Amino acid sequence: MVKTIEQLNKEDVKKAIMRLHDLAEGAENCLLSLQTAFIYNTTTPLEGFSETAGNIRQAEAGLTRKLAEIAGDDPGIKRYVPVPGHLLIIGEKLEKLRELMEKKIKGNVLFSDKAVKETIFLLQRLGEILWTASSLMLARNTFLGMYIDESVLNLGKLADEYASQHEERLIEGLCLPVASSIYINMLDAIRSIAWNIKEIARHLVS
């Protein structure tokens, strides 16, 4: 069943939900910038990144308070109240990814071909999942929620598998400790972002 924001009878609710959607789109753009910076090994795509991520941080408290005030006893609106908090954590983890990316690029830290392919794939999948979540904010669709849940589960399993394989490579001396630290911390941030996306979906469609 689909419930669009047009079916919500309060104009201020619609504006708040559109604001959530805009913030999610900003997070998507941050992910795309990270992916581009990683592929081309340059920090240029990260210019303006902190401003976009900062918008999420600055908007969180006000949006949470606004949604709580106007929700009343409407269970459909109450579902949105926790969403800004999860977007805040997503923004913080995106900032962490930016820091790690800049450390890698500016320090000329090399990843193995395998680690490069794995990182690009995970960032791409994360972007797709976040795009679906932003759509879910406008149309609470059960099937979109199921897709996000399954996709996050699969991404988490892949990240765990990549981490285990990387640990084996580290033990065998096939990668440098500094590269390993950056890579593992990137995996942790990606997992956290995915988990918070899943929680957004859970609140909206459960």
Side-chain angles (χ1 to χ4, degrees):
M1 181 184 71
V2 176
K3 184 176 182 181
T4 63
I5 60 171
E6 285 74 23
Q7 293 171 292
L8 299 173
N9 56 14
K10 295 182 179 179
E11 189 62 30
D12 47 0
V13 174
K14 296 178 184 179
K15 290 179 180 178
I17 294 173
M18 284 303 302
R19 180 59 174 150
L20 289 175
H21 177 263
D22 291 344
L23 293 174
E25 283 195 331
E28 291 175 54
N29 291 334
C30 286
L31 273 173
L32 181 59
S33 297
L34 287 166
Q35 184 179 324
T36 304
F38 185 81
I39 292 173
Y40 294 102
N41 199 44
T42 173
T43 59
T44 301
L46 301 179
E47 295 175 1
F49 184 104
S50 293
E51 180 180 354
T52 303
N55 288 337
I56 300 174
R57 181 171 57 255
Q58 294 170 8
E60 183 271 331
L63 267 175
T64 299
R65 183 172 59 253
K66 182 68 173 178
L67 285 165
E69 288 174 354
I70 61 183
D73 295 325
D74 189 326
I77 302 173
K78 284 183 177 179
R79 293 175 180 271
Y80 288 91
V81 175
V83 173
H86 290 293
L87 285 174
L88 173 65
I89 298 174
I90 289 171
E92 290 173 347
K93 296 303 178 180
L94 286 170
E95 281 280 14
K96 181 63 176 179
L97 281 174
R98 178 191 61 79
E99 293 172 4
L100 292 166
M101 198 80 70
E102 289 187 344
K103 181 178 180 180
K104 176 188 179 301
I105 294 169
K106 292 179 179 179
N108 197 29
V109 178
L110 299 179
F111 278 16
S112 67
D113 289 344
K114 183 173 176 56
V116 168
K117 291 177 182 178
E118 291 168 350
T119 303
I120 293 172
F121 179 76
L122 289 177
L123 290 174
Q124 288 175 334
R125 289 295 294 129
L126 196 59
E128 292 166 5
I129 297 169
L130 184 54
W131 179 87
T132 305
S134 66
S135 299
L136 185 66
M137 293 175 190
L138 302 182
R140 297 206 319 268
N141 184 299
T142 302
F143 294 106
L144 289 180
M146 292 171 60
Y147 170 81
I148 291 172
D149 190 63
E150 182 178 346
S151 297
V152 169
L153 178 62
N154 290 335
L155 185 146
K157 288 180 178 178
L158 271 179
D160 289 344
E161 179 182 326
Y162 292 163
S164 296
Q165 293 174 355
H166 181 78
E167 186 175 333
E168 293 175 3
R169 295 198 298 271
L170 180 62
I171 292 173
E172 294 172 1
L174 300 178
C175 63
L176 296 174
V178 63
S180 176
S181 175
I182 293 173
Y183 179 74
I184 292 300
N185 281 301
M186 288 177 68
L187 290 182
D188 287 343
I190 288 171
R191 286 194 197 95
S192 179
I193 292 171
W195 185 86
N196 280 278
I197 295 172
K198 178 176 69 69
E199 286 299 291
I200 288 173
R202 182 179 67 82
H203 286 299
L204 294 181
V205 300
S206 61

Short mmCIF file of all heavy atoms in Angstrom, two decimals, residues 75-111:
data_model
loop_
_atom_site.label_atom_id
_atom_site.label_comp_id
_atom_site.label_asym_id
_atom_site.label_seq_id
_atom_site.Cartn_x
_atom_site.Cartn_y
_atom_site.Cartn_z
N PRO A 75 -0.54 8.52 13.99
CA PRO A 75 0.55 7.54 13.94
C PRO A 75 1.35 7.63 12.64
O PRO A 75 2.54 7.31 12.62
CB PRO A 75 -0.17 6.19 14.06
CG PRO A 75 -1.56 6.47 13.59
CD PRO A 75 -1.87 7.86 14.02
N GLY A 76 0.70 8.08 11.56
CA GLY A 76 1.41 8.21 10.29
C GLY A 76 2.49 9.27 10.35
O GLY A 76 3.59 9.09 9.81
N ILE A 77 2.21 10.37 11.04
CA ILE A 77 3.19 11.44 11.16
C ILE A 77 4.24 11.09 12.21
O ILE A 77 5.42 11.41 12.05
CB ILE A 77 2.49 12.77 11.52
CG1 ILE A 77 1.45 13.11 10.46
CG2 ILE A 77 3.51 13.90 11.64
CD1 ILE A 77 0.60 14.31 10.80
N LYS A 78 3.82 10.43 13.29
CA LYS A 78 4.76 10.04 14.33
C LYS A 78 5.90 9.19 13.79
O LYS A 78 7.01 9.20 14.34
CB LYS A 78 4.03 9.29 15.44
CG LYS A 78 3.20 10.16 16.37
CD LYS A 78 2.57 9.32 17.47
CE LYS A 78 1.80 10.19 18.45
NZ LYS A 78 1.17 9.37 19.52
N ARG A 79 5.64 8.45 12.74
CA ARG A 79 6.67 7.58 12.15
C ARG A 79 7.89 8.38 11.71
O ARG A 79 9.00 7.86 11.66
CB ARG A 79 6.11 6.83 10.94
CG ARG A 79 5.04 5.81 11.27
CD ARG A 79 4.47 5.21 9.99
NE ARG A 79 3.45 4.22 10.25
CZ ARG A 79 3.68 2.93 10.44
NH1 ARG A 79 4.92 2.49 10.39
NH2 ARG A 79 2.70 2.09 10.67
N TYR A 80 7.68 9.65 11.35
CA TYR A 80 8.77 10.46 10.81
C TYR A 80 9.65 11.09 11.89
O TYR A 80 10.75 11.55 11.60
CB TYR A 80 8.20 11.59 9.93
CG TYR A 80 7.66 11.11 8.61
CD1 TYR A 80 6.32 10.75 8.47
CD2 TYR A 80 8.48 11.00 7.49
CE1 TYR A 80 5.81 10.31 7.26
CE2 TYR A 80 7.99 10.56 6.27
CZ TYR A 80 6.65 10.22 6.16
OH TYR A 80 6.15 9.78 4.96
N VAL A 81 9.15 11.12 13.13
CA VAL A 81 9.87 11.84 14.20
C VAL A 81 11.31 11.33 14.40
O VAL A 81 12.22 12.14 14.59
CB VAL A 81 9.07 11.78 15.52
CG1 VAL A 81 9.87 12.42 16.65
CG2 VAL A 81 7.72 12.48 15.36
N PRO A 82 11.57 10.00 14.37
CA PRO A 82 12.96 9.55 14.58
C PRO A 82 13.88 9.73 13.37
O PRO A 82 15.10 9.58 13.50
CB PRO A 82 12.80 8.04 14.88
CG PRO A 82 11.33 7.81 15.09
CD PRO A 82 10.64 8.85 14.31
N VAL A 83 13.30 10.04 12.21
CA VAL A 83 14.10 10.06 10.97
C VAL A 83 15.22 11.09 11.01
O VAL A 83 16.36 10.78 10.62
CB VAL A 83 13.19 10.28 9.74
CG1 VAL A 83 14.03 10.46 8.48
CG2 VAL A 83 12.24 9.08 9.58
N PRO A 84 14.99 12.35 11.46
CA PRO A 84 16.11 13.31 11.48
C PRO A 84 17.30 12.84 12.31
O PRO A 84 18.45 13.11 11.94
CB PRO A 84 15.46 14.56 12.09
CG PRO A 84 14.01 14.44 11.80
CD PRO A 84 13.72 12.98 11.89
N GLY A 85 17.04 12.13 13.41
CA GLY A 85 18.14 11.63 14.24
C GLY A 85 19.00 10.63 13.49
O GLY A 85 20.24 10.64 13.62
N HIS A 86 18.37 9.78 12.71
CA HIS A 86 19.14 8.82 11.91
C HIS A 86 19.89 9.52 10.78
O HIS A 86 21.03 9.14 10.45
CB HIS A 86 18.21 7.75 11.35
CG HIS A 86 17.68 6.81 12.39
ND1 HIS A 86 18.51 5.93 13.07
CD2 HIS A 86 16.44 6.62 12.88
CE1 HIS A 86 17.78 5.23 13.92
NE2 HIS A 86 16.53 5.64 13.84
N LEU A 87 19.28 10.55 10.21
CA LEU A 87 19.97 11.33 9.18
C LEU A 87 21.19 12.04 9.77
O LEU A 87 22.22 12.19 9.10
CB LEU A 87 19.02 12.35 8.54
CG LEU A 87 18.00 11.79 7.55
CD1 LEU A 87 17.03 12.90 7.12
CD2 LEU A 87 18.68 11.20 6.32
N LEU A 88 21.07 12.48 11.01
CA LEU A 88 22.20 13.12 11.69
C LEU A 88 23.38 12.17 11.78
O LEU A 88 24.53 12.55 11.47
CB LEU A 88 21.78 13.57 13.09
CG LEU A 88 22.91 14.12 13.98
CD1 LEU A 88 23.49 15.40 13.40
CD2 LEU A 88 22.40 14.36 15.40
N ILE A 89 23.13 10.93 12.20
CA ILE A 89 24.21 9.95 12.30
C ILE A 89 24.79 9.63 10.93
O ILE A 89 26.01 9.50 10.77
CB ILE A 89 23.71 8.66 12.99
CG1 ILE A 89 23.23 8.98 14.41
CG2 ILE A 89 24.82 7.60 13.03
CD1 ILE A 89 22.58 7.81 15.11
N ILE A 90 23.92 9.54 9.93
CA ILE A 90 24.40 9.32 8.56
C ILE A 90 25.33 10.44 8.14
O ILE A 90 26.40 10.21 7.57
CB ILE A 90 23.21 9.20 7.59
CG1 ILE A 90 22.46 7.88 7.83
CG2 ILE A 90 23.67 9.30 6.13
CD1 ILE A 90 21.16 7.75 7.07
N GLY A 91 24.95 11.68 8.45
CA GLY A 91 25.80 12.82 8.12
C GLY A 91 27.14 12.76 8.83
O GLY A 91 28.19 13.07 8.24
N GLU A 92 27.12 12.35 10.09
CA GLU A 92 28.37 12.24 10.85
C GLU A 92 29.28 11.16 10.26
O GLU A 92 30.52 11.34 10.17
CB GLU A 92 28.05 11.91 12.31
CG GLU A 92 27.40 13.07 13.06
CD GLU A 92 26.93 12.68 14.45
OE1 GLU A 92 26.88 11.45 14.75
OE2 GLU A 92 26.60 13.59 15.23
N LYS A 93 28.71 10.05 9.85
CA LYS A 93 29.50 8.97 9.27
C LYS A 93 30.00 9.34 7.87
O LYS A 93 31.09 8.90 7.46
CB LYS A 93 28.69 7.67 9.22
CG LYS A 93 28.31 7.14 10.60
CD LYS A 93 29.55 6.92 11.47
CE LYS A 93 29.19 6.44 12.86
NZ LYS A 93 30.39 6.22 13.71
N LEU A 94 29.24 10.14 7.16
CA LEU A 94 29.73 10.64 5.87
C LEU A 94 30.95 11.53 6.08
O LEU A 94 31.91 11.49 5.31
CB LEU A 94 28.62 11.41 5.16
CG LEU A 94 27.49 10.56 4.55
CD1 LEU A 94 26.34 11.46 4.09
CD2 LEU A 94 28.01 9.72 3.37
N GLU A 95 30.91 12.35 7.13
CA GLU A 95 32.06 13.20 7.47
C GLU A 95 33.26 12.32 7.81
O GLU A 95 34.40 12.64 7.45
CB GLU A 95 31.72 14.12 8.64
CG GLU A 95 30.90 15.33 8.26
CD GLU A 95 31.75 16.44 7.66
OE1 GLU A 95 32.91 16.18 7.29
OE2 GLU A 95 31.25 17.57 7.57
N LYS A 96 33.02 11.22 8.52
CA LYS A 96 34.11 10.31 8.85
C LYS A 96 34.71 9.71 7.58
O LYS A 96 35.94 9.61 7.46
CB LYS A 96 33.58 9.19 9.76
CG LYS A 96 34.63 8.18 10.19
CD LYS A 96 35.73 8.83 11.01
CE LYS A 96 36.73 7.81 11.51
NZ LYS A 96 37.81 8.45 12.30
N LEU A 97 33.86 9.34 6.64
CA LEU A 97 34.35 8.81 5.36
C LEU A 97 35.17 9.86 4.63
O LEU A 97 36.20 9.55 4.01
CB LEU A 97 33.19 8.35 4.49
CG LEU A 97 32.57 6.99 4.83
CD1 LEU A 97 31.32 6.75 3.97
CD2 LEU A 97 33.58 5.87 4.60
N ARG A 98 34.72 11.11 4.68
CA ARG A 98 35.49 12.18 4.02
C ARG A 98 36.87 12.30 4.65
O ARG A 98 37.88 12.43 3.93
CB ARG A 98 34.75 13.51 4.15
CG ARG A 98 35.51 14.68 3.52
CD ARG A 98 34.89 16.01 3.89
NE ARG A 98 34.90 16.24 5.32
CZ ARG A 98 35.97 16.66 6.01
NH1 ARG A 98 37.14 16.85 5.39
NH2 ARG A 98 35.89 16.86 7.31
N GLU A 99 36.95 12.28 5.98
CA GLU A 99 38.24 12.38 6.66
C GLU A 99 39.17 11.24 6.24
O GLU A 99 40.36 11.45 5.98
CB GLU A 99 38.02 12.36 8.17
CG GLU A 99 37.30 13.59 8.72
CD GLU A 99 36.93 13.42 10.17
OE1 GLU A 99 37.32 12.39 10.78
OE2 GLU A 99 36.26 14.31 10.73
N LEU A 100 38.62 10.04 6.20
CA LEU A 100 39.43 8.87 5.82
C LEU A 100 39.87 8.97 4.36
O LEU A 100 41.01 8.64 4.03
CB LEU A 100 38.62 7.59 6.04
CG LEU A 100 38.31 7.25 7.50
CD1 LEU A 100 37.24 6.17 7.58
CD2 LEU A 100 39.59 6.79 8.22
N MET A 101 38.96 9.45 3.51
CA MET A 101 39.28 9.59 2.09
C MET A 101 40.40 10.60 1.89
O MET A 101 41.33 10.38 1.10
CB MET A 101 38.03 10.02 1.33
CG MET A 101 38.09 9.78 -0.17
SD MET A 101 37.76 8.07 -0.59
CE MET A 101 36.02 7.94 -0.21
N GLU A 102 40.30 11.72 2.59
CA GLU A 102 41.34 12.75 2.46
C GLU A 102 42.67 12.25 3.00
O GLU A 102 43.73 12.56 2.44
CB GLU A 102 40.91 14.02 3.19
CG GLU A 102 39.77 14.76 2.49
CD GLU A 102 39.46 16.10 3.12
OE1 GLU A 102 39.90 16.33 4.27
OE2 GLU A 102 38.79 16.92 2.48
N LYS A 103 42.64 11.48 4.08
CA LYS A 103 43.87 10.91 4.63
C LYS A 103 44.52 9.99 3.60
O LYS A 103 45.75 10.01 3.42
CB LYS A 103 43.56 10.15 5.91
CG LYS A 103 44.80 9.55 6.58
CD LYS A 103 44.42 8.85 7.88
CE LYS A 103 45.65 8.25 8.55
NZ LYS A 103 45.31 7.56 9.82
N LYS A 104 43.72 9.19 2.94
CA LYS A 104 44.24 8.26 1.93
C LYS A 104 44.85 9.01 0.76
O LYS A 104 45.95 8.70 0.30
CB LYS A 104 43.12 7.35 1.44
CG LYS A 104 43.55 6.41 0.30
CD LYS A 104 42.37 5.68 -0.28
CE LYS A 104 42.81 4.78 -1.42
NZ LYS A 104 43.47 5.49 -2.53
N ILE A 105 44.09 10.01 0.26
CA ILE A 105 44.52 10.72 -0.95
C ILE A 105 45.74 11.61 -0.67
O ILE A 105 46.75 11.55 -1.39
CB ILE A 105 43.36 11.55 -1.51
CG1 ILE A 105 42.23 10.62 -2.00
CG2 ILE A 105 43.84 12.44 -2.66
CD1 ILE A 105 40.94 11.34 -2.33
N LYS A 106 45.65 12.41 0.38
CA LYS A 106 46.75 13.33 0.68
C LYS A 106 48.01 12.59 1.13
O LYS A 106 49.13 13.07 0.92
CB LYS A 106 46.31 14.33 1.74
CG LYS A 106 45.23 15.30 1.25
CD LYS A 106 44.80 16.26 2.34
CE LYS A 106 43.74 17.23 1.84
NZ LYS A 106 43.28 18.18 2.88
N GLY A 107 47.82 11.44 1.77
CA GLY A 107 48.97 10.65 2.21
C GLY A 107 49.47 9.68 1.16
O GLY A 107 50.42 8.93 1.40
N ASN A 108 48.82 9.72 -0.03
CA ASN A 108 49.20 8.82 -1.12
C ASN A 108 49.24 7.35 -0.65
O ASN A 108 50.16 6.60 -0.97
CB ASN A 108 50.56 9.21 -1.71
CG ASN A 108 50.79 8.59 -3.08
OD1 ASN A 108 49.85 8.33 -3.83
ND2 ASN A 108 52.06 8.34 -3.41
N VAL A 109 48.20 7.00 0.11
CA VAL A 109 48.09 5.63 0.63
C VAL A 109 47.44 4.75 -0.44
O VAL A 109 46.35 5.06 -0.91
CB VAL A 109 47.26 5.59 1.93
CG1 VAL A 109 47.12 4.15 2.42
CG2 VAL A 109 47.91 6.47 2.99
N LEU A 110 48.10 3.68 -0.80
CA LEU A 110 47.61 2.82 -1.87
C LEU A 110 46.81 1.65 -1.33
O LEU A 110 47.21 1.01 -0.35
CB LEU A 110 48.79 2.30 -2.70
CG LEU A 110 49.64 3.35 -3.41
CD1 LEU A 110 50.77 2.68 -4.18
CD2 LEU A 110 48.79 4.19 -4.36
N PHE A 111 45.67 1.38 -1.94
CA PHE A 111 44.87 0.20 -1.66
C PHE A 111 45.19 -0.87 -2.70
O PHE A 111 45.58 -0.55 -3.83
CB PHE A 111 43.37 0.51 -1.74
CG PHE A 111 42.79 1.15 -0.51
CD1 PHE A 111 43.60 1.71 0.47
CD2 PHE A 111 41.42 1.19 -0.31
CE1 PHE A 111 43.07 2.30 1.60
CE2 PHE A 111 40.87 1.77 0.82
CZ PHE A 111 41.69 2.33 1.77
#
